[in-house]
Amino acid sequence: MRKAIYPGSFDPITNGHIDIISRASKLFDEVIVLLAVNPSKECRFTIEERLAMLKVATKQFNNVKVDFYPGLTIQYARKVGAVALIRGLRVVSDFEYEWALSAANEFIDKDIEMVFLMAHREMTFISSSSIDELYRSGVDISPLVPKVVVDNYAKKYNK
Ligand code: COA
């Protein structure tokens, strides 16, 4: 069974992420969407909230699971026997970060491949931060995120 990991902060998950997950799920027998820790980020949603949103947003895919790991993504991938780490590329500036990340991962385990999927053009402007900014400015975010994210924003900020 060919298993791949798709790691991220998912704060929150967007339709851009769903697009990558959907395409990865067709390439691999199993995809684990891994909630990982980016130490340079202060997240808006808690780990529990993000995990819950991920589970609801990905339940449409039969071969996609969700998990959390506080350590290095590549170590998690090795632990579960994954053959690849999936990353989405949107714009050229993503490449620099991915280059450094893949070099670090290769240093730890050369046998796990980094697989990059190009985000669809209409998704390239979406990021978790832009979703947050749009929401706070009163813009309807529902075309850009799964429904569960809209519901969570409403719960968190409009009580
Ligand atoms: N569509 C829409 N948005 C996307 C996207 C896509 N296809 N791909 C990325 N993004 C957005 C994300 O939402 C995120 O937005 P934000 O910065 O506004 O929050 C941004 O692009 C960056 O995403 P990403 O590069 O995936 O960063 P991340 O913080 O979500 O994830 C980790 C980074 C968690 C994968 C990485 O830090 C990690 O693996 N951490 C674990 C520890 C580790 O292994 N570190 C490496 C050691 S050298």
Side-chain angles (χ1 to χ4, degrees), residues 6-10 14 16-17 20 36-38 41 71-73 87-88 90 97-98 101 104 119 126-129:
Y6 178 47
S9 303
F10 304 112
T14 70
H17 296 125
I20 300 289
V37 178
N38 182 343
K41 276 187 184 168
L72 296 181
T73 301
R87 298 286 290 161
R90 293 162 302 162
Y97 177 70
E98 296 306 329
L101 193 64
I126 309 177
S127 72
S128 299
S129 314

Side-chain angles (χ1 to χ4, degrees), residues 52-133:
M53 284 190 274
L54 284 174
K55 282 182 186 158
V56 174
T58 60
K59 72 167 188 264
Q60 58 186 301
F61 306 106
N62 292 332
N63 61 340
V64 174
K65 288 183 179 161
V66 171
D67 202 1
F68 167 71
Y69 188 66
L72 296 181
T73 301
I74 195 83
Q75 288 175 335
Y76 176 89
R78 189 151 62 181
K79 188 166 76 99
V80 299
V83 294
L85 276 187
I86 310 280
R87 298 286 290 161
L89 285 180
R90 293 162 302 162
V91 286
V92 176
S93 54
D94 281 349
F95 181 81
E96 223 172 304
Y97 177 70
E98 296 306 329
W99 180 258
L101 193 64
S102 68
N105 287 340
E106 193 181 299
F107 171 72
I108 299 166
D109 194 327
K110 283 189 181 51
D111 293 332
I112 299 174
E113 287 292 339
M114 300 289 297
V115 174
F116 298 96
L117 298 179
M118 298 298 282
H120 280 310
R121 238 161 274 180
E122 66 271 24
M123 308 275 183
T124 50
F125 75 97
I126 309 177
S127 72
S128 299
S129 314
S130 67
I131 294 295
D132 194 71
E133 201 176 338

Side-chain angles (χ1 to χ4, degrees), residues 3-56:
K3 203 185 278 189
I5 309 297
Y6 178 47
S9 303
F10 304 112
D11 185 40
I13 184 166
T14 70
N15 287 349
H17 296 125
I18 294 288
D19 169 49
I20 300 289
I21 293 165
S22 163
R23 287 153 63 196
S25 73
K26 291 175 192 142
L27 295 173
F28 293 91
D29 298 316
E30 184 178 303
V31 175
I32 302 178
V33 178
L34 186 69
L35 183 57
V37 178
N38 182 343
S40 62
K41 276 187 184 168
E42 214 169 286
C43 287
R44 306 161 192 99
F45 290 96
T46 64
I47 289 168
E48 291 71 25
E49 287 169 333
R50 281 177 284 151
L51 268 178
M53 284 190 274
L54 284 174
K55 282 182 186 158
V56 174

